[in-house]
């Protein structure tokens, strides 16, 4: 499988560069939009990667305003803008996704590395299709979702997993799983044994690290799930946290990134070393069999 086309990554990178260029030109967002047909709110969304600029002529005018006169640099940024306007693979499914999910998928697709923790569930990128579908079906009457929503959600989750096993530039993934999340029975024993085998198989990949946080640990414990998405040197590291309302809270503020990074480091120190994960999963599989 080839490395992915990443329109959202291009959009985030372009927005980040435009923000830095505007600051270097010592212009506020309100000053920058004077004479343009779009608002300061739109420019702010462009700078944070939430929206396409779309118009190459507007981009050229902004770059002139910011003092970018080198034609090669202008053409490079116009090319990035053109790629950023492309459709993502999940765009046809966007109407069936939960609020905030399209943005998260875009940032996830842009990530070079993800570090994630979940105290209650097996992380989505490690789930089997059966585990994911059973989870969605069990929540269906509570969330009042449709069968179509369940099937499309499972399809999206399985498509996301492909980032771990693609041939070119596979996603680096470091997961910490709390023991109660692994012991929580979803479906039946056969389904859980299949799920344990899947985690062990993925953990054997060079780009995947899985640690188990044992229930008997006495160190630091965080009660909520979160992901740290590292987007490379030219884009800001981003934090994603699920909310109780089925949406994603996303932030690239340095203070939040620092806080969650310290939490992940503390959890990793409390967890079992990665080389113990296969043995731990094998033991769980034996226990659930008896």
């Amino acid at each position: 499988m080839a490395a992915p086309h990443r329109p959202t990554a291009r959009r985030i990178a372009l927005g980040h560069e435009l923000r830095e260029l505007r600051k270097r030109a010592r212009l506020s967002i309100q000053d920058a939009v004077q004479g343009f047909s779009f608002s300061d709110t739109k420019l702010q969304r462009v700078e944070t990667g939430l929206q396409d600029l779309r118009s190459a002529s507007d981009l050229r005018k902004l770059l002139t305003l910011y003092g970018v006169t080198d034609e090669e640099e202008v053409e490079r940024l116009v090319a990035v803008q053109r790629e950023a306007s492309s459709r993502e693979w999940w765009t046809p499914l966007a109407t069936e996704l939960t609020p905030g999910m399209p943005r998260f998928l875009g940032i996830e697709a842009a990530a070079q590395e993800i570090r994630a923790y979940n105290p209650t569930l097996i992380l989505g990128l490690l789930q089997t299709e059966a585990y994911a579908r059973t989870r969605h079906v069990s929540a269906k009457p509570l969330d009042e979702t449709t069968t179509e929503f369940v099937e499309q959600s499972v399809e999206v989750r399985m498509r996301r997993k492909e980032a771990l096993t693609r041939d070119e530039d596979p996603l680096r993934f470091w997961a910490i799983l709390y023991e109660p999340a692994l012991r929580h029975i979803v479906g039946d024993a056969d389904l859980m044994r299949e799920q344990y085998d899947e985690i062990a198989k993925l953990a054997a990949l060079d780009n995947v690290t899985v640690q188990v946080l044992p229930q008997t640990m006495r160190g630091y414990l965080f009660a909520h799930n979160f992901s740290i998405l590292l987007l490379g040197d030219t884009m800001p590291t981003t934090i994603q946290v699920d909310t109780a309302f089925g949406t994603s809270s996303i932030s690239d503020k340095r203070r939040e990134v620092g806080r969650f990074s310290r939490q992940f480091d503390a959890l990793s120190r409390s967890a079992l070393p990665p080389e113990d994960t296969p043995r731990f999963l094998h033991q769980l599989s034996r226990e659930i069999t008896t």
Side-chain angles (χ1 to χ4, degrees):
M1 187 185 304
H5 178 53
R6 294 171 171 167
T8 302
R10 303 293 182 265
R11 187 163 64 243
I12 295 170
L14 177 61
H16 187 66
E17 285 200 64
L18 289 176
R19 180 168 55 185
E20 294 304 309
L21 289 170
R22 176 179 59 76
K23 289 181 178 179
R24 195 178 308 163
R26 298 185 176 183
L27 291 170
S28 67
I29 287 184
Q30 290 75 20
D31 291 335
V33 297
Q34 296 299 317
F36 286 88
S37 60
F38 53 82
S39 67
D40 55 346
T41 300
K42 177 178 176 178
L43 181 56
Q44 186 174 42
R45 289 176 62 83
V46 168
E47 289 186 353
T48 54
L50 285 173
Q51 186 172 347
D52 297 329
L53 187 58
R54 293 288 181 184
S55 169
S57 61
D58 282 344
L59 175 58
R60 291 178 185 276
K61 286 172 61 178
L62 272 179
L63 294 175
T64 299
L65 179 64
Y66 297 161
V68 181
T69 56
D70 181 84
E71 192 58 32
E72 287 189 8
E73 180 66 1
V74 170
E75 290 304 318
R76 180 185 71 83
L77 291 170
V78 169
V80 173
Q81 182 265 340
R82 189 179 304 116
E83 290 183 39
S85 299
S86 303
R87 285 161 56 97
E88 295 279 15
W89 61 262
W90 61 82
T91 301
L93 304 174
T95 56
E96 291 294 329
L97 297 174
T98 56
M101 191 62 176
R103 184 187 178 201
F104 169 69
L105 291 175
I107 297 173
E108 183 182 71
Q112 296 178 4
E113 179 178 352
I114 296 176
R115 301 172 184 175
Y117 163 73
N118 199 314
T120 58
L121 295 172
I122 292 170
L123 288 156
L125 290 179
L126 300 176
Q127 292 179 10
T128 64
E129 183 173 340
Y131 183 99
R133 178 172 286 104
T134 302
R135 280 283 308 158
H136 280 295
V137 169
S138 65
K140 184 180 173 182
L142 303 176
D143 296 336
E144 297 182 332
T145 53
T146 64
T147 299
E148 183 181 19
F149 173 84
V150 170
E151 292 305 314
Q152 290 188 347
S153 295
V154 173
E155 178 186 345
V156 168
R157 184 154 298 178
M158 294 303 102
R159 182 76 180 270
R160 289 167 57 204
K161 279 185 64 176
E162 295 176 3
L164 301 178
T165 56
R166 63 190 177 220
D167 296 329
E168 296 182 35
D169 191 25
L171 174 69
R172 298 191 300 275
F173 187 52
W174 184 354
I176 299 176
L177 301 175
Y178 191 30
E179 182 179 344
L182 289 166
R183 289 189 178 276
H184 174 63
I185 306 300
V186 173
D188 57 23
D190 288 339
L191 188 154
M192 291 306 298
R193 282 196 297 272
E194 179 190 39
Q195 179 62 76
Y196 297 147
D197 289 344
E198 177 71 0
I199 296 172
K201 182 181 72 174
L202 292 171
L205 299 173
D206 291 339
N207 56 300
V208 177
T209 299
V210 179
Q211 287 184 271
V212 175
L213 187 67
Q215 194 168 1
T216 55
M217 57 79 68
R218 297 189 179 186
Y220 178 77
L221 179 65
F222 191 61
H224 206 75
N225 69 293
F226 63 89
S227 297
I228 304 170
L229 300 100
L230 291 84
L231 309 183
D233 296 333
T234 62
M235 294 180 281
T237 297
T238 301
I239 303 299
Q240 180 268 336
V241 179
D242 289 333
T243 73
F245 300 99
T247 59
S248 290
S249 176
I250 296 174
S251 173
D252 62 5
K253 294 180 180 178
R254 290 184 180 180
R255 185 173 181 178
E256 295 298 315
V257 171
R259 181 165 69 94
F260 280 96
S261 296
R262 291 190 297 273
Q263 289 172 345
F264 189 88
D265 290 343
L267 290 164
S268 178
R269 288 193 296 269
S270 297
L272 299 174
E275 56 267 26
D276 286 357
T277 297
R279 177 185 56 79
F280 194 96
L281 292 169
H282 180 67
Q283 181 62 35
L284 287 179
S285 192
R286 289 182 60 187
E287 290 177 10
I288 202 173
T289 302
T290 57

